[in-house]
Amino acid sequence: MVGFGEDDLRALAGARSYERGLGYLDAVSGLEVGEGSVSAVVHGTDVYEVEFTLGGDDGTISGWCDCPYGQEDNFCKHCVAVGLTVLRRAKTIPQQRAAARARSSGLEAWLSGLSREQLLALVREQIAEDRALRRRLELRAAAARSDLGVVRDRIIALIDPRPFARYGYVEYADATGYSRQVAEAAAALRAATADGQAAQAVGLAEEAIRVLGEAYGEIDDSDGVVGQAAAAVARAHLEACRVAHPDPERLAEWLAGTVLDDSNDVVDLDPLDYADVLGQSGLARVRQLVTEALRRRPSGWAARYLMERLLKAEGDVDALVALHARDLDPSGATHLHIAEELEAAGRSDEALAWAERGLRDCTAETYIDGRLVDYVCVGYMRAGRTAEAVAVRRDRLCIERSLAAYRQLRSAARTADRWETERAAALATLREDARREQGGRYGGPVLIDALLDDGDVDAAWREAVGRADDRQWERLADLSRERRPGEALGVYLRLVERSKEPTGDRAYERLARLLQRVRDCHRALGTEEEFGVYFAGLRTELKRRRKLMSILDRHGL
């Protein structure tokens, strides 16, 4: 028994990752079974290391992979592949786990029996062969003897990108190797904190974050692996601060300075994560510094975002509204954001008032954030103000002249039981556009799209002559084929003529569909022989297009 099944893997990974994992079964190698876990490598875009925990009595399982998706704490396709491989070998897993336990017990007993001299000899042997282990132990030793100069030099060396920058730039292929060194630096910082050097680790982490920020612009971190390792350095800084309790105001100044520095985008520091260390005085100092930054540069994105975070944490809705009101987007998106903040605070009347203000402020704009218009109309409908909702939709149609705006007006007017009146006025507006030859999105007038959307086929026929584009003609013919086959046939024949020139599978499929409709019209008219003559001539004309002939055959033509 391995304690899990395929359904567990599918639930953890999701359907997409599970299906993709099926394709990696042959890419799993080096499977090693431990007491409670399995490790393996999976060959994909790169070679990825996977560790998969075996289900216990409760069936709980998990997986870790060093691919970019896995490092975001996702159960990826590589984990799925390893899990499925374990299930394939389910019969042998219990014996392998028992063997792993025996090996572990044997190793523990053997180590316990070694003398001090023998243990030292063993460690020296390992560090001579394993450079990474040697570096880690050197750092631990330096931290233990408070040799912070050595610790600092080693950490800075680990995050120095120059050994990886063959052309003055860390290329994509080298980013993973560099990220491993940055992660090692983070581990060294955590070790320094654990060894009683938390105060020193704070300063070292801050220097490391500064160096990383300066170097990040010269690194191709397309997969985000360096950013993830840098985040580990930032977490090590937070851990050290929680142990060392540095001066709150000094920490506030460093955090604000780092967050507000536009050139440092390698780590996403959030001062609120440090709230327990900063205390009230430190948070107040952060807010003061951010306020000063906004005064100097009101449009600064980082300062605005940080101030928004601080105000939300404090629950100061009025200050938050004032912050957003300083820079109102002409689309109304900011008005909507303010309305949503007020709504969340239980201030619905003020929220709707801000949304209404957004419509007034943006009334001359062709583009208004559709979510703002929806917000206002939903608010009106909820309050029983249906006439006002209809008026908003009517105004938007006058400005946008789009099928979407027409549909929204129709929906609101039907709710208010006044669509008949509104429809006449709306069509008059669109008809005036059609007279001025202001085409719709696809070339033909929106008026024709609106009539077709209403199902008013007769009116659409009247308006289409000399105005409709091919898309609209085809739609009109499709809706009329059964009732007016003769008129539909004329449309389809014109479209066939225009469709003979383009080549390629998509063009040929469209031509075949049009010809099927031509045949349907002839059948409805009882002129199938006429279609046979027409189609034979068309095949003769286009016979050199072998792919077209094949597609026509497949469609039964």
Side-chain angles (χ1 to χ4, degrees), residues 213-226:
E214 293 171 352
Y216 196 60
E218 302 300 320
I219 300 170
D220 182 352
D221 191 26
S222 298
D223 285 342
V225 291
V226 177

Side-chain angles (χ1 to χ4, degrees), residues 71 88 104 110 134 160 192 197 221 267 311 322 355 402 485 551:
Q71 288 190 25
R88 281 182 168 185
S104 179
W110 177 66
R134 182 182 186 88
D160 184 356
Q197 305 294 332
D221 191 26
V267 291
L311 294 175
S402 68
I551 289 174

Side-chain angles (χ1 to χ4, degrees), residues 2 30 43 106 109 116 122 249 258 278 285 317 335 387 404 408 444 456 502 554 556:
V2 294
H43 299 265
R116 180 176 181 275
L122 178 62
E249 292 204 11
T258 304
L278 288 167
R285 179 59 175 154
V317 177
H335 296 81
Q408 289 164 338
D456 193 346
R554 178 156 50 81

